[in-house]
Structures are given as structure tokens and as C-alpha cells.
Amino acid sequence: MQSDRGHWGSNAGFILAATGSAIGLGNLWRFPYITWDNNGGAFVLVYLVCILAVGMPIMMAELLIGRRTQKSTVGALRECAGRWWGVFGVWGVLCAFLLLSYYTVIAGWSLYYFARTAAWSAGGYPVGLATGDLFNAQVGNAGLQLVLSLGFSLATIAVVWFGVRDGIERLARVSLPILFGILLLLLVSALGMSGSGQALGFLFQASFSELEAGSALSALGHSFFSLSVGMGAMITYGSYLSRKQSIVKATAAIVALDTGIAIVASIIMFSVIFSVAGMTEQVGASPVGMLFISLPELFYTEVPFGVLLAPLFYILVAVAALTSTISLLEVVTSYLIDEHALQRHRATLLSGAAVFVFTIFAALSFSGTPFLSSLAVFANKTGWFETVDHFVSNVMLPTGGLAVTLAAGWFVSRRISHGELVDGNQPGWFRYAVWLGFIRFVAPAAVLAIIIAVLLGTDFS
Ligand code: PHE
């Protein structure tokens, strides 16, 4: 059984894999549009505070719980915090399951735009193309959506099939450096554009008078999503970690890379948008489409070397999404391996297939399918896709995150958490006390604030 669990091959491999989980559609698609929606500057600052004060302590908590027990979400919480905490482990597995089911659909869109931009780069861009209509046509095409998300699901299953070291870690080692390289190229290109000064001002000049009510809470919600915490992905990745790795240093690296990439992605997108007359108004109306509606055309009309960069960029989005989907599938797979004694291959196929059934529902949400396109449970959310997304971001992640803070702060013994967090021969008491203060008081209070806001009807998705 032990061989089916696996272990990271090296410290750097683990950091790359966990960073790969954190960096995904949250950084490239969601962060830029919610930052735009919340008027930049002050929102970015609040987001950074949330990352440092809440996200980071929770990530350390998840990693330490995982490493200590060497078990996946359910078994880890049960062993570390007490028997009935296993319930929250099951909650996390369900959350990963549902999140993966619709995340795969958005990831599929990046495959579509990769194919499209590759064709345009080779054969010429059809100037004047209505990119909004193109987007609607692709999401509304049921057959296409099924093919795209099946393709992406199979890729996810293939990586998890090969296990922790030969699948997940190997992919991260190869793809993350490439991803950083492409982003750097794009950044250089974007900084040369006329709108880059305005973009930097928009992102870094905080004007608190423009901060809308509820922005702070959506920053907090997104910090969970972006760091992959609140549903056990980091517990699972932590469970493959050896005692030699410093959890504090690893967390610092993962958080810095994840946040840095979100900001770089925003600088790129906003530089392009501010460089084009009339684009700010156009984006203003529906920032959600920034990545798939505004950007494709701009690559061909505005961005220097856009013909080369466009397909590279969409393959980057797909790869970033893949290193996230594998961490979500691993949560479900490792649960089956640890709690139901399944072999890895069988567990991977079973969980992958089960998730895909729900992916089908999400993929068919935009094509006028009875029930799936019209489902209306929450106000202003229509269809299966939007309903599940709303439920996961507004209910499951915040409650899961709260459970982890309470478990780690109040139920895991201090001997255990201190032993895991303080490395080697350093005294480290100060660092530990700071973490304990955040995990016991600051983080739960902040998460509770989100949950109360959700109950009062604030929307974070
Ligand atoms: N962090 C990923 C992103 O930013 C999403 C994710 C959440 C992945 C939870 C795994 C677990 O896109």
C-alpha cells in the first residue's frame, strides 16, 4: 500500500508541484478580472493582506497536518485533530470533486483558444472578427464542449495515473519553468506598450475611496481559491513530504510565486487593454471575458510579436490549469487509496470517471440543455455551471478553510504543530507564536466574516 501513496523526489520538486497547484485559472483568468471589477489599487493591497494574514497560515497548517500524518485529507484530519474532524475531510474531498468538475470546462476553453490562435498565426487573423460572438458560439456548442473537457480530463487522469513522483512532480518540473519563461516574454512585450504606465498605476496606486463594500471579502475568498487551500489539496501534497523540508520556507516560496504570477498576469492584461482606445469601456462591461474575448484579438492587432505569443499564451493557460486539475484529482484519488485501499491506477480511473460525469453537466450548461442551462438555485446564477461555482466558492471553500484553521489552531496539539513548523536546531519560538496567533484568532475571524457575508448574500464568485 505504501508504494501507492508515493513521495516527492526532492524538495524543489515538491515546491514546483505545489506552486503548480496554486498557479492556475485563478491567477490568469480570475484575479485580473476581479481586480478590474474592484478598481485595482486598493483591492490589490487588501488581497495581499489576506494572502499574508489568512492564506499563508492556513497553507502552513494544511502542509503540517499532511506531513505529520502522511495521510490524505480525511485520515489526516481524523488522526491529527480528532475522530469527527474526518467529516471535514470528506467535505474537502467533495469540494475538490465539484471544483474539478467545472474547472475542467474552463480549462477546455484554453485548449480551444490555443487551437484557434495557432490556426490564425499560421493562416492570418480574420480582422474585424466579433470575438464575443465566437466565444458564445464555442461555449454554446455542446459537442465541442464535451470533446474539449473530455480531452482535458484525460490529460489530468494520465498525469495522476503515473503517481506523485513520476506524474505530478515530473509535469511540474518541466512545465513550470516554461510557464515562467513565456510569462516573462509576455511581460517584456507588455511593458513596451503605451498603456503599461497606466496599468501599473491602476494596480499599485491605492485609492481607498474607490474600494467598494464587499471588496475586502471577495479578496479573502479569492486568496483561498488561488492558494488552493480550504479543501485539502495542500494536506494531500503535504502528506508526500519528508521531514527534511522546511514547511515555513516552502510556504513562503509557493505564496510568493503564486502572488507574483497573479500580478504579472494582470500587468500584462491591463497594459494591453489600456493601450487600445475604447477597450477599457468594452472590458468594463464584462471583465469575465477578458481572457477569452478581449485578449485574442489584441494579440493580433496590438501586441508586439503577438502572432508568436498568442498560441504560446493559450498553451500556457492550459498547462497552468493542468497542474491545478491534477492536484484536485489527487485529493479524490488519494482518498480512495488511503481510506478504501484501492490501487493507484484503479483509484485514478474511478475518481476521474466519476468527476467526468459532473463535468458533462457543467459542459452542457451553456447550450440550452433542459435543466442544466436553466437551473436556478441562487439569485443571479443560472445553469448548472454557475450554480456549482457559486456553491463551491461561497460555501464550500470558506467553511472548509474555517474547519482547517480551527482544527490546526485548537485541536492539533501544540507539540505536534511546533514540531512540524520549527525546523532543525533553530529556536523558532517567535515564528511559531506568530503563526499560532494568526491560525487561532486572525484567520478564523476573517473566514467567519466571509461566511457571515455569504449568509447575508454577498457574492464572491
Ligand atoms: N489554485 C488554483 C487556481 O488558482 C485553483 C485550485 C483550487 C486548485 C483548489 C486546486 C485546489 O487556479
Side-chain angles (χ1 to χ4, degrees), residues 21-22 24-27 99 103 225-228 231 233 324 327-328:
S21 168
L25 297 167
N27 308 59
L99 180 47
Y103 195 97
F225 187 94
S226 193
L227 293 180
S228 304
M231 31 65 68
S324 296
S327 70
L328 289 162

Side-chain angles (χ1 to χ4, degrees), residues 289-302:
M290 217 181 255
L291 187 64
F292 297 115
I293 298 177
S294 319
L295 219 52
E297 181 186 4
L298 299 177
F299 270 118
Y300 294 94
T301 51
E302 306 295 332

Side-chain angles (χ1 to χ4, degrees), residues 353-370:
V355 171
F356 188 68
V357 172
F358 287 79
T359 300
I360 293 176
F361 299 159
L364 297 182
S365 293
F366 306 95
S367 42
T369 318

Side-chain angles (χ1 to χ4, degrees), residues 316-332:
L316 170 151
V317 177
V319 168
L322 184 62
T323 52
S324 296
T325 53
I326 55 178
S327 70
L328 289 162
L329 186 60
E330 183 64 20
V331 171
V332 186

Side-chain angles (χ1 to χ4, degrees), residues 163-402:
V164 176
R165 190 190 307 201
D166 296 336
I168 298 172
E169 182 173 342
R170 189 178 285 176
L171 176 76
R173 272 178 180 281
V174 175
S175 66
L176 260 90
I178 299 176
L179 192 147
F180 295 150
I182 299 177
L183 267 184
L184 197 65
L185 269 180
L186 278 164
L187 180 66
V188 171
S189 168
L191 286 177
M193 297 183 70
S194 60
S196 59
Q198 223 180 326
L200 293 173
F202 180 80
L203 275 165
F204 298 118
Q205 269 166 21
S207 117
F208 283 91
S209 57
E210 278 179 44
L211 198 68
E212 286 168 17
S215 291
L217 292 176
S218 59
L220 191 55
H222 184 69
S223 67
F224 273 55
F225 187 94
S226 193
L227 293 180
S228 304
V229 296
M231 31 65 68
M234 289 297 159
I235 296 184
T236 308
Y237 274 20
S239 75
Y240 307 129
L241 205 51
S242 78
R243 298 271 329 165
K244 279 178 277 167
Q245 178 96 324
S246 157
I247 287 180
V248 180
K249 285 187 195 137
T251 303
I254 299 162
V255 169
L257 286 168
D258 183 61
T259 310
I261 296 291
I263 289 174
V264 165
S266 306
I267 295 177
I268 294 169
M269 264 176 233
F270 298 161
S271 298
V272 176
I273 285 164
F274 280 120
S275 299
V276 184
M279 195 39 101
T280 44
E281 291 78 33
Q282 197 180 315
V283 169
S286 63
V288 177
M290 217 181 255
L291 187 64
F292 297 115
I293 298 177
S294 319
L295 219 52
E297 181 186 4
L298 299 177
F299 270 118
Y300 294 94
T301 51
E302 306 295 332
V303 180
F305 306 107
V307 176
L308 291 176
L309 293 176
L312 271 181
F313 177 74
Y314 287 100
I315 200 70
L316 170 151
V317 177
V319 168
L322 184 62
T323 52
S324 296
T325 53
I326 55 178
S327 70
L328 289 162
L329 186 60
E330 183 64 20
V331 171
V332 186
T333 302
S334 64
Y335 161 74
L336 293 179
I337 294 174
D338 288 351
E339 299 295 316
H340 297 280
L342 254 61
Q343 289 172 310
R344 171 165 287 273
H345 290 171
R346 207 173 275 181
T348 308
L349 287 182
L350 192 67
S351 46
V355 171
F356 188 68
V357 172
F358 287 79
T359 300
I360 293 176
F361 299 159
L364 297 182
S365 293
F366 306 95
S367 42
T369 318
F371 178 72
L372 295 177
S373 299
S374 55
L375 182 72
V377 179
F378 304 110
N380 301 324
K381 304 286 158 199
T382 316
W384 177 273
F385 182 102
E386 287 189 8
T387 304
V388 175
D389 180 29
H390 181 89
F391 185 66
V392 168
S393 336
N394 291 8
V395 181
M396 298 193 93
L397 283 178
T399 43
L402 182 63

